[in-house]
Amino acid sequence: MMQANIINAAVKALENNEIVAIPTETVYGLAGNAYSETAVEKIFALKNRPHFNPLIVHIKSAAVLTSVAKNIPLVALQLADAFWPGPLTLVLEKQEHIPDIVTGGKNTVGVRVPNHPVALELLEQLDFPLAAPSANPFGSISPTTAKHVADYFTDTLTIILDGGSCDKGIESTIIGFENGQAILYRQGSTKVEDIEKITGPLQIRVHANNESVVAPGMLSKHYAPVTTTILTGDIALDIQKYSDKRIGVLQLSPTILPSFVIAVETLSQTGNLEEAAKNLYAAMHRLDHQNLDLIIAQKMPAIGMGLAINDKLERAATT
């Protein structure tokens, strides 16, 4: 377990409206007091994040859900019961004391209980929940290690709680509710087929223009490397097409590639999609630092975690 003095320093900083980087099972987050407009404004400034894009509020347990949300549908409680702590965010009607800046001016708030011992230990010691988007500049690759966070915010962040590599490696799945019907807003680390065992078939609303962003991660351009990135169903074909370029390849499982490929990231030796998700962002970070002309990313099988990985890759792709 993390040293108590580091947690204590984080608690003090958060109580003083400072921002702290925290590990969760999905990605690292930039956390601040969700009840404090001052703290939340600092998060937006650090990330250079547009204010219409809402933040997720992290609570210590489902037992305190009514402190941030109201008029909660029964199916939302069933989902919380099944998946919390865990990578599922529920978008619910907010309590009045949640500042509008947290919710992008909407009357709904995204809430989850993170499944990471360090995050939970921190939340236990606070008498407020934490607003915490991913700890990266807006639009860039999400961080899955403390080093990723430090690389982004060397001069601007004093406390980064190191909880090791993130277990899931991809953001939480986001579910909203309209007329009591569950709706998928963002693919993520909780599989749609598992959610549908409780909700029945989900309606899907995953891409949004700026005005209709009801949840984080819905913008069509997001999670993006600086390097030009192509998503393809046929790596071999695209490699030949760009054989005159400095190419990096992001693939699911090992394949034989032409010798002119400069860098290769294989997400899973066995083609395991959960393992691929865990390794995705770290692999993207490494490729982005290789001075490449082009990253060619392989489309994953459209099942289970493959759906969530493809969603992230589509938003990372340049065209």
Side-chain angles (χ1 to χ4, degrees):
M1 190 50 70
M2 178 154 284
Q3 292 169 297
N5 56 351
I6 307 276
I7 292 276
N8 290 342
V11 168
K12 282 203 176 61
L14 289 162
E15 286 172 343
N16 288 325
N17 289 332
E18 299 299 326
I19 305 307
V20 169
I22 64 168
T24 76
E25 77 281 25
T26 58
V27 298
Y28 275 70
L30 279 183
N33 178 353
Y35 293 156
S36 160
E37 286 193 30
T38 308
V40 176
E41 186 54 68
K42 285 180 184 174
I43 296 174
F44 277 96
L46 257 181
K47 278 183 68 78
N48 197 19
R49 180 186 179 101
H51 282 82
F52 63 73
N53 204 5
L55 306 182
I56 292 173
V57 172
H58 295 68
I59 57 175
K60 63 184 88 174
S61 72
V64 297
L65 179 57
T66 52
S67 66
V68 294
K70 61 183 180 183
N71 300 329
I72 302 162
L74 176 61
V75 65
L77 295 171
Q78 292 169 325
L79 289 169
D81 191 46
F83 295 108
W84 284 357
L88 180 69
T89 295
L90 302 176
V91 177
L92 301 163
E93 193 178 330
K94 78 177 182 83
Q95 291 283 11
E96 275 73 20
H97 57 263
I98 302 282
D100 283 350
I101 186 173
V102 172
T103 64
K106 297 181 177 57
N107 71 339
T108 53
V109 62
V111 189
R112 84 179 188 96
V113 181
N115 191 12
H116 193 290
V118 174
L120 289 169
E121 191 183 347
L122 181 63
L123 282 162
E124 273 303 326
Q125 297 193 33
L126 297 168
D127 53 11
F128 48 82
L130 292 173
S134 54
N136 55 322
F138 178 71
S140 56
I141 307 168
S142 299
T144 52
T145 66
K147 184 180 184 315
H148 292 159
V149 182
D151 288 348
Y152 280 139
F153 298 107
T154 322
D155 307 320
T156 45
L157 212 52
T158 46
I159 298 178
I160 299 173
L161 299 181
D162 190 343
S165 280
C166 297
D167 189 40
K168 297 293 184 191
I170 276 185
E171 285 80 359
S172 59
T173 306
I174 302 184
I175 300 290
F177 305 90
E178 292 172 21
N179 305 320
Q181 169 75 42
I183 292 173
L184 177 68
Y185 289 145
R186 178 174 80 182
Q187 293 274 7
S189 283
T190 298
K191 287 189 268 200
V192 167
E193 52 261 45
D194 293 340
I195 294 167
E196 288 184 332
K197 286 173 190 159
I198 292 170
T199 60
L202 284 169
Q203 291 182 37
I204 298 181
R205 189 165 309 136
V206 285
H207 285 277
N209 61 26
N210 293 353
E211 288 70 51
S212 65
V213 173
V214 285
M218 288 182 75
L219 294 172
S220 57
K221 182 88 171 114
H222 213 31
Y223 317 109
V226 176
T227 312
T228 300
T229 302
I230 289 173
L231 182 59
T232 178
D234 189 340
I235 283 187
L237 185 72
D238 274 303
I239 287 174
Q240 293 308 326
K241 213 187 289 183
Y242 298 102
S243 57
D244 57 332
K245 302 254 194 251
R246 288 177 55 83
I247 292 175
V249 167
L250 181 69
Q251 61 183 5
L252 173 57
S253 48
T255 56
I256 295 165
L257 296 165
S259 56
F260 60 76
V261 172
I262 305 261
V264 182
E265 288 288 344
T266 301
L267 296 177
S268 170
Q269 288 299 311
T270 59
N272 178 301
L273 290 167
E274 260 86 6
E275 186 186 9
K278 179 179 164 64
N279 294 329
L280 176 67
Y281 288 141
M284 287 166 74
H285 278 281
R286 287 191 293 271
L287 287 171
D288 213 17
H289 286 103
Q290 298 266 11
N291 192 26
L292 301 167
D293 297 325
L294 189 65
I295 297 169
I296 297 178
Q298 178 187 10
K299 236 185 178 140
M300 302 292 138
I303 49 161
M305 284 308 298
L307 293 166
I309 298 172
N310 285 340
D311 179 68
K312 307 309 165 211
L313 288 173
E314 279 162 19
R315 294 168 200 272
T318 313
T319 49

